[in-house]
Amino acid sequence: MSPRESARRGSHVTVRHPEARSLTDRLIKQGFIPDFRNPDLIRLGLSPLTTSYAEAWDGLDMMRGIIAA
């Protein structure tokens, strides 16, 4: 959903998934806090001031695992 060109996006990345609400709830239960946007978007805020590379990696890996399950 987010533009691939870095110059066209800010520090948020938005992912579209048909089960976005459920995925967001499961991520929150595991300690990864995204933002759900109707109807099918998961918005991730990735600030280099507050989010380390390892935290971003772990969160996205968690998301991948939930989607694959």
Side-chain angles (χ1 to χ4, degrees):
M1 186 68 196
S2 294
R4 292 212 179 255
E5 303 84 23
S6 60
R8 294 189 56 219
R9 67 174 182 265
S11 64
H12 292 89
V13 175
T14 304
V15 177
R16 175 172 273 148
H17 192 279
E19 296 178 32
R21 173 83 259 174
S22 173
L23 292 172
T24 299
D25 292 341
R26 288 187 274 170
L27 288 166
I28 290 170
K29 287 179 184 174
Q30 292 189 31
F32 184 67
I33 312 297
D35 183 27
F36 171 74
R37 299 292 173 109
N38 276 319
D40 59 358
L41 303 175
I42 301 171
R43 188 169 157 238
L44 310 169
L46 304 169
S47 170
L49 297 175
T50 59
T51 307
S52 70
Y53 177 83
E55 289 170 323
W57 181 276
D58 291 344
L60 293 170
D61 190 49
M62 184 186 307
M63 179 184 253
R64 182 193 54 80
I66 288 173
I67 290 171

